[in-house]
Amino acid sequence: MTMAMKETALPDTMTAPETGEILTRSVRPFVVAYKGISLTVELPGYYPAGEGDGIHVGKDMEVVDVALRTLKEQVDGVPSPATIRRIRTKLNLSQRDAGALLKVGENAFDKYERGLVEPSGPTSQLIKVLDRHPEIADELR
């Protein structure tokens, strides 16, 4: 982890705003479902001692986002940010160069790899083809 990515340490407890109950920082299993397929993730947050909903702050929900993208990749074939980054790196392209090669804009791959935007259907298909046939990149240039 780089220093720029380092998150400030969170306190061990917090008071629930609605009930005044003391919540403790921990993780709980959480099921992420998409089109009939599911993954269980360990969701960090502040939770009550017994049953009940937690409060999620900062980057807590990132594990849910990653799981959902993984499921969408399995079910719909939409490449996940990690897959997009892996293929771009395999092709030895910068994000800017990859955007120019696929004619999607110079900042598109930054957005794809950060999970802010999903590539369109044709772009997803081309990324997958380039993974299997990297030599096609030369033709696209």
Side-chain angles (χ1 to χ4, degrees), residues 44-59:
Y46 289 95
Y47 295 100
E51 293 294 315
D53 293 332
I55 294 178
H56 308 285
V57 298
K59 296 183 177 186

Side-chain angles (χ1 to χ4, degrees), residues 34-35 65-80 118:
Y34 183 75
K35 293 185 177 179
D65 293 340
V66 169
L68 181 58
R69 298 243 185 228
T70 299
L71 291 172
K72 287 182 92 171
E73 185 169 38
Q74 289 174 4
V75 174
D76 295 335
V78 177
S80 69
E118 288 181 355

Side-chain angles (χ1 to χ4, degrees), residues 64-127:
V64 174
D65 293 340
V66 169
L68 181 58
R69 298 243 185 228
T70 299
L71 291 172
K72 287 182 92 171
E73 185 169 38
Q74 289 174 4
V75 174
D76 295 335
V78 177
S80 69
T83 297
I84 293 168
R85 184 177 307 109
R86 178 187 59 75
I87 294 168
R88 179 186 57 78
T89 302
K90 173 181 171 178
L91 297 170
N92 199 27
L93 295 170
S94 68
Q95 289 178 335
R96 201 171 282 270
D97 291 343
L101 183 72
L102 275 60
K103 308 287 191 249
V104 293
E106 60 185 32
N107 296 320
F109 271 77
D110 172 59
K111 293 175 184 174
Y112 299 157
E113 291 178 19
R114 289 192 296 141
L116 301 176
V117 176
E118 288 181 355
S120 68
T123 301
S124 292
Q125 293 293 71
L126 187 52
I127 289 169

Side-chain angles (χ1 to χ4, degrees), residues 2-3 26 48 51 62 76 111 122 136:
T2 65
M3 292 303 283
S26 63
E51 293 294 315
E62 282 183 359
D76 295 335
K111 293 175 184 174
I136 293 174

Side-chain angles (χ1 to χ4, degrees), residues 36-47:
I37 297 179
S38 63
L39 286 174
T40 301
V41 298
E42 292 293 316
L43 181 59
Y46 289 95
Y47 295 100

